[in-house]
Amino acid sequence: MHPTLLFFPLLASLFLLCRRTHAECQPATCGDLTVRYPFWLGGPDLNRSSSTTSCGHPAFEVWCAGGVASLRGSQILVLGIDYTNSSFVAAHKRVAGGTDGVCRTDLNISSSLALSPFTISSRNRAICFLYYCKSTVPSELGVVNATSVCTRPIYAYLGGSYDRDKPPAIQAGNCTYSYLPVLEAPVNLTPATNYDLLFKEGFLLEWQKNGFGDCDACNASGGQCRYSNDSAAFACVCSDGKQRGRKCTGEYPLAYPLR
Ligand SMILES: *[C@@H]1O[C@H](CO)[C@@H](O)[C@H](O)[C@H]1NC(C)=O
Ligand SMILES: *[C@@H]1O[C@H](CO)[C@@H](O)[C@H](O)[C@H]1NC(C)=O
Ligand SMILES: *[C@@H]1O[C@H](CO)[C@@H](O)[C@H](O)[C@H]1NC(C)=O
Ligand SMILES: *[C@@H]1O[C@H](CO)[C@@H](O)[C@H](O)[C@H]1NC(C)=O
Ligand SMILES: *[C@@H]1O[C@H](CO)[C@@H](O)[C@H](O)[C@H]1NC(C)=O
Ligand SMILES: *[C@@H]1O[C@H](CO)[C@@H](O)[C@H](O)[C@H]1NC(C)=O
Ligand SMILES: *[C@@H]1O[C@H](CO)[C@@H](O)[C@H](O)[C@H]1NC(C)=O
């Protein structure tokens, strides 16, 4: 047999191996959404125990169900990602999922995002909702009746730029209140405001671009962007199968082997 014929299966299997690991973390789509680093397509069936690297930081794991993307199957839906500005438009299922969202505004979205690396952009406006009002109806200027189809009275107030640590300054009186970010706020709220539409258009979240590795530099050097669970950091996986901290050229492999 000719020596090259012996080599061929070896080369072919090496090629397939490379192809497979390469394809794993390639940009994917979910509906109209392109999911690429730092986001990555995971899912409930992912075998997490079989690997110490994943395609990205756990917080950026997107599950895709029926063309709808969510952060790890949570209530936070991912509607659009702006990779240049490191921001994405999200919506909260509880208020954006039906036709009576305004009746289900009894949550502060920031508390459901408390542990994530994302911040709610100050490009959002804050909308306040007042409910369970005891005895008095809130009379502050700008407070509108948002009761519509709800079984209990709800009042709304449009605040300024969203600030998680600084709720809109409003006399909540004897009411319970919540405040939610919306990206496409109207100039004024009126009794006819369509809150469902505002919630469905979502709100803007931002991430620190340099906090999750420089994928462009890694990719340009021929590597694949991954997240190493062992070092809890970005890892650039190179053609030699080893990880570098940043890119494949001019750097020594990290101490952590790829498993
Ligand atoms: C990744 O690291 C976390 C925290 O150290 C640990 O709880 C988890 O089991 C690890 N996952 C894998 C797949 O090794
Ligand atoms: C997940 O991976 C581990 C380690 O490779 C393996 O033992 C286990 O059988 C796998 N589980 C499934 C459901 O594939
Ligand atoms: C990206 O950010 C810049 C500067 O903040 C802004 O002007 C631009 O509109 C943003 N692009 C998108 C698509 O939001
Ligand atoms: C929302 O946040 C405000 C200010 O932190 C707090 O007073 C209020 O109780 C919260 N509302 C809900 C429904 O958690
Ligand atoms: C608010 O609107 C609801 C119907 O949408 C109405 O039943 C209620 O009387 C209104 N409340 C006030 C204080 O105007
Ligand atoms: C809150 O309710 C109490 C009685 O329940 C009333 O005395 C008080 O004036 C109310 N405060 C406001 C700000 O409406
Ligand atoms: C890496 O670069 C290739 C070729 O330019 C491109 O097709 C691919 O989408 C890039 N991958 C990522 C994760 O940016």
Side-chain angles (χ1 to χ4, degrees), residues 82 84-85 87 123 204:
D82 182 344
T84 313
N85 279 5
S87 64
R123 278 176 56 197
L204 196 69

Side-chain angles (χ1 to χ4, degrees), residues 96-167:
T99 54
D100 60 345
V102 70
C103 313
R104 288 183 275 119
T105 50
D106 53 350
L107 82 165
N108 289 319
I109 281 176
S110 55
S111 45
S112 59
L113 284 167
L115 294 173
S116 79
F118 308 120
T119 53
I120 301 177
S121 171
S122 58
R123 278 176 56 197
N124 298 297
R125 292 283 293 275
I127 293 196
C128 257
F129 292 97
L130 303 162
Y131 46 92
Y132 292 142
C133 297
K134 289 190 198 94
S135 64
T136 47
V137 170
S139 59
E140 183 161 337
L141 205 67
V143 172
V144 301
N145 187 352
T147 304
S148 69
V149 296
C150 313
T151 51
R152 59 165 190 245
I154 296 198
Y155 304 91
Y157 172 83
L158 186 61
S161 169
Y162 185 94
D163 182 344
R164 181 202 157 133
D165 301 319
K166 207 160 154 259

Side-chain angles (χ1 to χ4, degrees), residues 25-27 36-37 215-216 219-220 225:
C25 298
Q26 281 302 291
R36 65 174 171 86
Y37 196 88
C215 184
D216 293 341
N219 199 28
C225 307

